[in-house]
Amino acid sequence: EAEAALFVDAEKGVADAEEALAGARDIIAEWVSEDQRAREGMRSLFSSKGIMRSKVITGKEEEGIKYKDYYEWEEPVLKAPSHRVLAIRRGESEGFLVLRITVPEDEAIAILEALFVKGINQASLQVKSAVQDGYKRLLSSSMEAEIRLAVKKRADEEAIRVFVENLRQLLLLPPLGRKNVLAIDPGFRTGCKV
C-alpha cells in the first residue's frame, strides 16, 4: 500500500492507493493474457480437458426442435465427433443453441499461478488476484475462441474425408448393380468395338 501510494495522482484519475493497486492488477492481468507460456499452457489444458457444452436459448425450444438432442449436451473436446460438432455449430448459427467450451477453473488458475506468483507476501497476493482476473476476464474467452476454431477445423476436415470416401464408393459402383453391361467403344477411325 505504501508503494501504491506513490502512484496516487488525482489528475491521472488515481484517487487513492486502492485505485493504484487496481490499475496495477489490470496491467498484470493483461501481461498474463498475452504471455506465450501462459497461452501455451491454457491451449494444452483446453485441448486435453476442455468440455463442450450446449444449451438451448430460452424461448427457442419449439422453433429449434430439430436440435433437441443438444438442448442439454456436454462432451469432452477430444471425443466430440465431427458430425455432432457441426450440428451444434449450425444450431448456434441459426440462433437456437449456445455452445461453450470450458475447463476446470481451478486447474487453469493453478497453471497460471505456478508461472506468475512467486513467494507468499502482500505483493504476491496482488499478483494472485491479477492472475485470477486475467484468466476469468481475458484469457479464458480468448482460449475458448481459439479452441472453437481448432475444433471446427478438425470437424470440417473429418466431414470432407467422409464425403470423399462415400463419393469414391458411389463412383466405383457398377452402373446397373448386378446386371451385365455391354459397352460400346466408339472408334471413329478404326470402327466401334463391343
Side-chain angles (χ1 to χ4, degrees), residues 25-34 39 42 109 112 127-142:
R25 286 192 302 266
D26 286 344
I27 291 169
I28 294 171
E30 291 278 337
W31 289 346
V32 167
S33 73
E34 294 172 0
R39 293 183 76 79
M42 290 299 100
I109 291 176
L112 295 174
V127 173
K128 187 174 185 176
S129 175
V131 164
Q132 292 172 357
D133 176 51
Y135 172 73
K136 291 176 185 173
R137 189 168 49 90
L138 303 168
L139 196 54
S140 65
S141 58
S142 173

Side-chain angles (χ1 to χ4, degrees), residues 139-170:
L139 196 54
S140 65
S141 58
S142 173
M143 284 295 109
E144 180 181 1
E146 196 173 300
I147 295 300
R148 283 173 63 108
L149 287 175
V151 168
K152 167 92 167 70
K153 182 179 178 187
R154 186 183 76 205
D156 285 344
E157 288 170 355
E158 177 65 15
I160 290 169
R161 188 193 64 72
V162 167
F163 177 77
V164 166
E165 185 58 32
N166 289 343
L167 183 61
R168 181 178 174 280
Q169 293 300 322
L170 185 65

Side-chain angles (χ1 to χ4, degrees), residues 83 97 109 121 135 157 175 177 188:
H83 68 277
L97 300 174
I109 291 176
N121 54 37
Y135 172 73
E157 288 170 355
F188 299 111

Side-chain angles (χ1 to χ4, degrees), residues 91-106:
E92 185 180 38
S93 68
E94 291 177 11
F96 301 119
L97 300 174
V98 174
L99 174 64
R100 293 291 318 247
I101 298 177
T102 58
V103 294
E105 188 173 298
D106 55 338

Side-chain angles (χ1 to χ4, degrees), residues 35-39 41 109-118:
D35 185 78
Q36 290 305 313
R37 295 175 304 151
R39 293 183 76 79
I109 291 176
I111 290 170
L112 295 174
E113 286 179 356
L115 290 172
F116 297 102
V117 179
K118 309 293 183 218

Side-chain angles (χ1 to χ4, degrees), residues 52-83:
M52 297 179 70
R53 289 184 173 91
S54 70
K55 292 186 178 187
V56 65
I57 294 176
T58 307
K60 301 277 188 165
E61 293 88 354
E62 292 300 318
E63 290 178 67
I65 196 70
K66 67 181 175 181
Y67 299 108
K68 70 178 179 192
D69 292 343
Y70 308 117
Y71 282 1
E72 290 293 326
W73 174 83
E74 71 178 53
E75 186 171 8
V77 169
L78 286 175
K79 295 183 179 181
S82 66
H83 68 277

